[in-house]
Amino acid sequence: MFAWLVGSASHPPLFLKTRSSKTFIIVTVATAIFTDIFVYGIIVPVLPFALTSRSGINPDSIQTWIAIFLAVYGAALLTAAPFCGWLADRSSSRRVPLLLGLLALGGSTVLLCIGSSIGVLAAGRVLQGVSAAVVWVVGLALLVDTVGPDGVGQAMGYVGLSMSLAILVAPLLGGIVFAASGYYAVFAMAFGLIVLDIIMRLVMIEKKVALRWLPADVVDETPKVSHAAYKEQEPDNRASFTDIELVPVDQGSRAKDPKNKESSVPEGAADEALSENSPQPVKKFSDRLPAVIYLFSSRRVLSALWACLVQASLLTAFDTILPLFVRDTFNWNSTGAGLIFLPLVVVSFTGPLVGWASDKYGPRWFATAGFVIACPFLILLRLVYKNTLDQKVLLCALLALVGVSLTLILTPMMAEITYAVDAKARRHPPGFFGKNGAYAQAYSLFNMAWAGGCLVGPLLAGLVNQRAGWAVTVLILGIVSVITAIPTAIWTGGSMFKKRRRERQDRAIAANTPEVA
């Protein structure tokens, strides 16, 4: 009956090529992430009403309960993310976990819509956190499966675009619709978007599934790596060592010819590559560890996670301090406090362009430049202190420049997660991380870092702003940004020290190799 949707042994699904295309899968994942953040965001202006009029909470305790619900959501997200990553990397399909995550999102929305007690609302927030973990972890892993390492930066740019768009419009639409049409109209928007998301996830066909009916060259499941990010790998990850084409014995003399490509390989490298790729008779204890734990041994991965945490902290810190600042300084109402985020977020539309450049030139200097550039513009926000037109223009301009710098960070660092996992995998025999690799587990770590930043940023900025004021708060944010640029420059794309040492060794080998006439 549903052969047109899922296909059969003799007939492919309808519109198979379109439904399994890179474009459609990218749009589907971006829509899933937009839906997740949108449903989370439209609840923000509604939650105080639900707590007072539906749950009977004392208005003086509203701020405390909102903080508790934020903590419940964050705890569920942090707890579920590693498990979702581990499960997704062992699942035969990425679409099944995505559909389960959508089920959790629908259930959480129902609970938040009908709930009138603290327990039901808390359960809704827990399910919302679990859904977010599934969408981010599995969705990003599916993107990497689809576009391959050479296109992951641009794909992450579209993800960042959908994320920023949801962050921008969700609270705004939630407040407007709630004021105009009431409580249930807000959730009607959420359910409509969830239905659209269900349709797209059901229609989507993974590339490895499409291989049953389409030839591999049409599906293009494994794009070739050609971007600059792979030119900065550590020595044992470089193609000249681990991906060397071994020469047969009867052609051995050809390998010694300096004019051949293989002549640049140091003596014994082929034997090392052969031993590296040969089956290991006995596995070490560390080889039996889950990939999510093994990845923590990589300073490159840890540096990328720290950069993602700081970027999320810098972005979400404004959620706490910016609305209060414009209210106290410019006497703006809630509408103005919402619209002031527009300069900060709208520049994220350049995310796909930044991702494309990161794929082409590598992520190191884009992310480093983002942290360095953000520092002076964050500190210069202290110059805004009075209610004049030129001060309002200055605030918008500085926020836009901060937004540009944060966009330079987010997209390359999301792609760097993929690059770092591949660098780890290339140091071991094929299948070391399992048949599906470790992308989902790596992005579970990214998800945890992002969630941690979303908790630390507002809390840190709010406490400092309350004690020391706006000027000191933005000064601290600027200092944190420029300090983070140091590990980002050193370890993004592989250790800078190892890269320079390798370059010196290459120059020394070239200088000592006699030219053959």
Side-chain angles (χ1 to χ4, degrees):
M1 178 179 178
F2 295 102
W4 64 272
L5 180 64
V6 298
S8 64
S10 57
H11 296 286
L14 196 63
F15 304 121
L16 172 62
K17 191 172 180 180
T18 299
R19 290 165 58 186
S20 62
S21 65
K22 291 181 183 179
T23 301
F24 187 80
I25 294 177
I26 290 173
V27 171
T28 300
V29 174
T31 302
I33 288 174
F34 178 88
T35 301
D36 176 77
I37 297 177
F38 184 86
V39 173
Y40 172 86
I42 62 171
I43 308 298
V44 172
V46 177
L47 194 57
F49 166 80
L51 291 173
T52 53
S53 64
R54 296 172 65 87
S55 301
I57 299 299
N58 190 314
D60 295 335
S61 303
I62 292 297
Q63 185 65 61
T64 301
W65 280 105
I66 289 178
I68 291 173
F69 282 127
L70 177 64
V72 166
Y73 172 87
L77 178 60
L78 290 172
T79 303
F83 176 75
C84 291
W86 178 84
L87 186 63
D89 279 337
R90 281 156 179 77
S91 174
S92 59
S93 171
R94 304 284 196 198
R95 188 171 70 164
V96 173
L98 276 177
L99 290 172
L100 293 176
L102 192 55
L103 184 64
L105 179 60
S108 71
T109 308
V110 170
L111 291 177
L112 292 170
C113 179
I114 66 175
S116 58
S117 67
I118 291 296
V120 174
L121 293 175
R125 295 295 278 180
V126 169
L127 278 178
Q128 211 170 42
V130 172
S131 168
V134 174
V135 168
W136 279 92
V137 172
V138 184
L140 296 182
L142 175 61
L143 273 187
V144 179
D145 293 344
T146 302
V147 303
D150 60 340
V152 68
Q154 190 171 11
M156 294 302 172
Y158 290 109
V159 169
L161 175 60
S162 67
M163 178 184 66
S164 300
L165 191 60
I167 292 173
L168 176 64
V169 304
L172 188 61
L173 284 179
I176 292 173
V177 172
F178 176 70
S181 303
Y183 183 80
Y184 291 105
V186 174
F187 288 94
M189 285 193 303
F191 286 121
L193 196 55
I194 289 173
V195 169
L196 173 63
D197 201 0
I198 290 174
I199 294 172
M200 295 192 70
R201 295 194 204 187
L202 286 174
V203 170
M204 180 195 71
I205 299 176
E206 295 180 65
K207 286 189 173 296
K208 61 183 178 183
V209 176
L211 280 172
R212 300 174 187 172
W213 299 280
L214 292 177
D217 57 341
V218 175
V219 176
D220 190 23
E221 186 182 25
T222 54
K224 295 181 179 179
V225 177
S226 59
H227 52 70
Y230 278 85
K231 297 178 182 178
E232 294 187 321
Q233 302 295 357
E234 298 176 7
D236 51 356
N237 298 328
R238 299 177 72 197
S240 60
F241 284 83
T242 59
D243 294 337
I244 178 175
E245 181 182 354
L246 299 179
V247 181
V249 176
D250 57 10
Q251 297 179 9
S253 59
R254 184 172 170 266
K256 298 179 181 179
D257 187 350
K259 294 182 180 181
N260 290 327
K261 182 175 62 176
E262 293 85 357
S263 63
S264 61
V265 180
E267 185 178 356
D271 295 333
E272 292 175 9
L274 182 59
S275 62
E276 237 184 73
N277 292 321
S278 59
Q280 300 295 325
V282 178
K283 284 189 173 183
K284 296 184 295 184
F285 172 75
S286 60
D287 294 344
R288 297 188 178 95
L289 295 175
V292 71
I293 298 177
Y294 183 76
L295 290 173
F296 271 114
S297 66
S298 169
R299 285 171 291 183
R300 180 177 177 181
V301 173
L302 292 177
S303 174
L305 294 176
W306 173 251
C308 291
L309 186 147
V310 172
Q311 198 273 352
S313 299
L314 295 176
L315 179 62
T316 57
F318 288 102
D319 292 344
T320 303
I321 61 176
L322 193 55
L324 295 176
F325 176 76
V326 296
R327 183 197 66 182
D328 298 338
T329 306
F330 303 143
N331 300 317
W332 285 359
N333 57 19
S334 58
T335 302
L339 291 176
I340 192 59
F341 286 93
L342 188 62
L344 187 64
V345 178
V346 74
V347 292
S348 63
F349 283 78
T350 60
L353 179 61
V354 174
W356 170 84
S358 176
D359 283 333
K360 187 173 182 180
Y361 301 107
R364 185 194 303 271
W365 299 118
F366 287 100
T368 303
F371 282 118
V372 173
I373 293 172
C375 175
F377 296 131
L378 285 168
I379 295 175
L380 287 174
L381 285 169
R382 63 193 288 129
L383 298 179
V384 181
Y385 61 92
K386 59 184 179 180
N387 188 7
T388 61
L389 179 60
D390 59 335
Q391 291 272 283
K392 296 173 184 176
V393 172
L394 177 61
L395 176 63
C396 292
L398 290 173
L399 289 175
L401 292 169
V402 170
V404 170
S405 63
L406 295 181
T407 302
L408 285 174
I409 299 167
L410 178 61
T411 302
M413 294 316 299
M414 289 175 71
E416 169 68 2
I417 299 293
T418 297
Y419 304 153
V421 171
D422 281 343
K424 275 290 183 184
R426 286 158 64 91
R427 298 175 61 181
H428 299 280
F432 179 79
F433 284 137
K435 63 179 181 179
N436 292 325
Y439 293 130
Q441 294 175 82
Y443 280 109
S444 73
L445 297 178
F446 161 77
N447 196 252
M448 294 173 67
W450 177 263
C454 292
L455 290 176
V456 171
L459 184 62
L460 175 64
L463 291 176
V464 174
N465 189 52
Q466 185 177 1
R467 293 292 184 90
W470 168 264
V472 175
T473 303
V474 295
L475 174 63
I476 292 176
L477 293 177
I479 293 173
V480 170
S481 179
V482 75
I483 290 176
T484 307
I486 298 173
T488 302
I490 293 174
W491 282 296
T492 300
S495 171
M496 178 185 292
F497 301 122
K498 291 183 179 180
K499 179 187 175 185
R500 291 182 176 177
R501 185 164 60 246
R502 182 176 68 236
E503 290 174 348
R504 288 196 298 268
Q505 290 173 351
D506 289 345
R507 286 195 296 267
I509 292 173
N512 294 328
T513 302
E515 295 186 5
V516 178

